[in-house]
Amino acid sequence: MKSIQISLLVGLLASTALPVMAGKADDTLNWATDKEVAVVDPYFSVTRELVIMGHMGWDGLVLFNNETGDFDPLLATGWEWKSNTVVEFDLRRGVVFHDGSTFDADDVVYTINFLADEANGVPAQSVVNWMKSATKIDQYKVRLELVQPFPNAFAYLANEISIMPEGYYDGSTIGADGTRDLSGVTPNGTGPYRVSDVRTGKYVNWDKNENYFADGPKGTPQIGHINFRTIGETNTQLAELMTGGLDWAWDVPKEQALRLEDSGQVQVVNEKTLRISYLTFDVTGSSGQDYFTDQKVRAAVAHAINREAIAKELVGPASVVIHSACHPEQFGCTEDVPKYDYDPEKAKALLAEAGYPDGFDFDLYGYREREFTEAVIGDLAAVGIRPKLNWLQYSSLLQALQNGKTPVAQMTWGSSSIPDVAAITSHFFSGGADDPAKDPRTAEALHRGDTSVDPEVRKEAYAEALNIISEELYWLPMFTYTKYYAFSNDLNFTPTADEIPRLYEASWK
């Protein structure tokens, strides 16, 4: 059966008469997704494709190091916190933009002040609205002022804040619909690759930046060209991958990834991501089903679910069970919290202690990867907790959650690829609309962590909050998500948990 399905993929390619482009032979890494790229700009095209391209074509002040968990100097060479809201950066000398202009403090000041001005219409305001302003100290030194203490400042500087040349957007205007017209703006960064050709909605071609500065954390680009195309059908993408039309693809469905791996014609890697799954409980009874106001019932749910089996058998080999309301690779996340191992008999005993020896019926909500939620339903039903599944679109489910209408919901959170507890725990347990418990103890502890730039103060505060959340079981953390990558046997490529593929680090074997 597997060989037949692989043959069908190859046959699909033949039937569509798509051109085959050599990868290694003409020094071109070809990749594709189903997304159309309308604007090659990391601020005004908020797609994952532009996050990848943003790192190819532009640089930020710092770069996150996935191996050490630290932030490496990129366009900055060093920095010093002057207070909880002021940090000064020394800038790298000898850097040039793709158009040949020289990088210095004026470019950093222009970029940050442009982003910080809401009138300029940057779509993802949460990415930029923590910055108040930047000022020039001298040609290679700038001061960044934050609106308020923001522990994720460096994570956003690394992942989201690309430095543009001074005056970059000056020729563009904002239309009546609020969209900025970038038709006259030529992509221009300092990154390891530069745009060579674009056809809106079809492709974006990149050439190696021969003038990229040496000794930086992105290294020296090795591959001559990296070309992106939009291919709407997953099967067509995989067919091209099998026959050499593509060299790289990601987010491959698990079954197809395993078939590709069995073929031996491409490399397949399952890599962790920063997205997690969790169950959130109605701990106040606002939904009208008050079973989950009792911590013993919540604990029964926790002991009833075989999270390890779901992670390994359904999600992927890189998936791990989590015990804290955070991702294990985020700064400040600790797994040293109360844990609830798979133990159906203990689950039944807890239900009896709570007054439900025969179990009960309730409403369970979900929106993503139905097979994961159906596995949860099977485990719960086995101990007498009988869910009725309500399957909604994310926006509808979020509204129901925030209005307190869901007894239990299986949700996910990706933290915007930010490797910091504040991107998840602080969001959900600081008393806001998404906080299921509004426990003042967690809010106070998280506030301490969120308003300090001292790593040890932050770790201690976050550990306190995470232990409360786990002991009370406001959430049942489930498992980490993974993503399947498939790429040419000729390609050296290493995926990372932040879901920002470093294509600029790729090389041919």
Side-chain angles (χ1 to χ4, degrees):
M1 178 62 72
K2 291 180 180 178
S3 61
I4 293 174
Q5 289 165 319
I6 291 293
S7 297
L8 288 175
L9 286 177
V10 177
L12 176 62
L13 177 60
S15 67
T16 52
L18 293 167
V20 175
M21 298 170 291
K24 183 177 181 179
D26 67 356
D27 200 17
T28 301
L29 190 166
N30 298 288
W31 66 293
T33 73
D34 61 354
K35 301 295 191 300
E36 294 185 358
V37 174
V39 176
V40 186
D41 185 284
Y43 297 119
F44 292 95
S45 183
V46 287
T47 66
R48 179 60 55 166
E49 287 71 17
L50 257 297
V51 172
I52 299 171
M53 294 182 195
H55 282 257
M56 288 169 52
W58 287 268
D59 293 316
L61 293 173
V62 297
L63 184 70
F64 181 68
N65 187 317
N66 280 280
E67 294 183 359
T68 67
D70 297 325
F71 293 97
D72 293 332
L74 188 51
L75 288 179
T77 57
W79 50 85
E80 180 182 0
W81 283 96
K82 296 296 185 179
S83 72
N84 276 1
T85 57
V86 175
V87 57
E88 292 182 357
F89 293 91
D90 295 311
L91 304 180
R92 189 181 295 272
R93 300 167 186 259
V95 177
V96 295
F97 286 93
H98 298 155
D99 66 358
S101 58
T102 302
F103 161 79
D104 63 15
D106 291 329
D107 306 304
V108 178
V109 170
Y110 169 81
T111 300
I112 290 175
N113 289 339
F114 177 90
L115 299 175
D117 185 350
E118 190 174 350
N120 286 321
V122 175
Q125 278 295 302
S126 62
V127 169
V128 300
N129 63 8
W130 53 275
M131 299 183 293
K132 183 177 181 180
S133 63
T135 54
K136 178 180 178 178
I137 297 175
D138 61 37
Q139 186 177 5
Y140 291 101
K141 193 177 187 70
V142 295
R143 177 181 297 115
L144 170 61
E145 186 173 353
L146 282 57
V147 173
Q148 60 187 10
F150 185 60
N152 281 331
F154 270 62
Y156 276 88
L157 287 172
N159 283 359
E160 308 284 357
I161 308 302
S162 301
I163 301 302
M164 305 298 187
E166 182 182 14
Y168 185 67
Y169 294 109
D170 289 357
S172 63
T173 58
I174 299 178
D177 62 352
T179 301
R180 182 169 288 274
D181 179 9
L182 297 178
S183 59
V185 178
T186 300
N188 186 24
T190 63
Y193 285 84
R194 61 178 182 83
V195 174
S196 61
D197 191 17
V198 180
R199 184 176 176 186
T200 300
K202 298 294 185 181
Y203 62 78
V204 184
N205 294 344
W206 300 77
D207 291 343
K208 178 169 62 175
N209 178 8
E210 300 288 357
N211 296 317
Y212 194 61
F213 58 87
D215 303 322
K218 288 187 177 180
T220 300
Q222 299 297 307
I223 294 177
H225 316 279
I226 300 181
N227 293 346
F228 168 83
R229 283 187 292 145
T230 298
I231 300 178
E233 293 293 329
T234 298
N235 281 344
T236 307
Q237 293 176 29
L238 300 183
E240 287 216 37
L241 186 68
M242 292 285 287
T243 56
L246 291 179
D247 303 291
W248 186 93
W250 77 338
D251 215 7
V252 180
K254 181 181 179 181
E255 290 186 4
Q256 291 170 302
L258 295 179
R259 292 197 293 269
L260 289 170
E261 187 174 35
D262 285 347
S263 77
Q265 293 178 252
V266 294
Q267 302 176 74
V268 174
V269 176
N270 183 245
E271 178 58 69
K272 54 197 167 187
T273 75
L274 284 181
R275 182 170 295 278
I276 69 165
S277 173
Y278 62 93
L279 295 185
T280 181
F281 298 101
D282 171 20
V283 299
T284 66
S286 61
S287 67
Q289 297 179 11
D290 62 359
Y291 307 113
F292 305 101
T293 61
D294 189 335
Q295 195 271 354
K296 289 183 179 179
V297 173
R298 302 197 294 271
V301 169
H303 286 298
I305 300 173
N306 190 342
R307 292 176 284 166
E308 182 73 26
I310 296 173
K312 297 305 180 187
E313 295 174 15
L314 296 181
V315 185
S319 177
V320 297
V321 172
I322 55 174
H323 302 281
S324 291
C326 52
H327 192 287
E329 296 203 1
Q330 289 178 315
F331 173 87
C333 187
T334 175
E335 293 284 275
D336 186 17
V337 297
K339 297 177 175 64
Y340 303 86
D341 295 329
Y342 176 54
D343 189 339
E345 293 307 313
K346 188 169 185 178
K348 292 176 183 178
L350 284 166
L351 284 174
E353 288 179 31
Y356 304 105
D358 299 321
F360 54 82
D361 300 289
F362 74 102
D363 287 304
L364 172 66
Y365 288 75
Y367 80 101
R368 177 173 177 153
E369 284 84 29
R370 190 176 183 125
E371 66 271 27
F372 300 173
T373 305
E374 288 174 345
V376 169
I377 289 172
D379 286 345
L380 293 177
V383 301
I385 310 174
R386 299 174 293 274
K388 173 188 175 184
L389 180 58
N390 298 265
W391 201 254
L392 302 179
Q393 295 293 320
Y394 176 73
S395 58
S396 299
L397 179 50
L398 180 61
Q399 184 177 15
L401 266 172
Q402 293 180 341
N403 290 334
K405 302 300 184 183
T406 60
V408 183
Q410 183 166 10
M411 304 296 292
T412 79
W413 189 253
S415 297
S416 298
S417 294
I418 300 299
D420 193 291
V421 161
I424 179 168
T425 318
S426 298
H427 175 87
F428 284 100
F429 293 98
S430 293
D434 293 323
D435 188 340
K438 294 182 173 58
D439 188 329
R441 296 174 298 167
T442 62
E444 190 279 327
L446 292 169
H447 179 73
R448 273 188 279 123
D450 291 349
T451 54
S452 175
V453 295
D454 184 328
E456 296 309 313
V457 169
R458 298 187 65 215
K459 288 178 183 179
E460 181 179 353
Y462 293 142
E464 181 179 331
L466 289 166
N467 270 274
I468 294 170
I469 295 163
S470 186
E471 182 175 0
E472 298 289 349
L473 260 177
Y474 296 141
W475 268 18
L476 173 62
M478 295 284 285
F479 49 80
T480 59
Y481 269 74
T482 67
K483 189 181 290 289
Y484 277 94
Y485 298 76
F487 47 95
S488 167
N489 285 329
D490 290 330
L491 190 67
N492 290 309
F493 169 77
T494 303
T496 53
D498 59 9
E499 295 183 81
I500 303 177
R502 271 71 169 167
L503 292 182
Y504 57 80
E505 292 182 344
S507 63
W508 301 117
K509 292 182 178 179

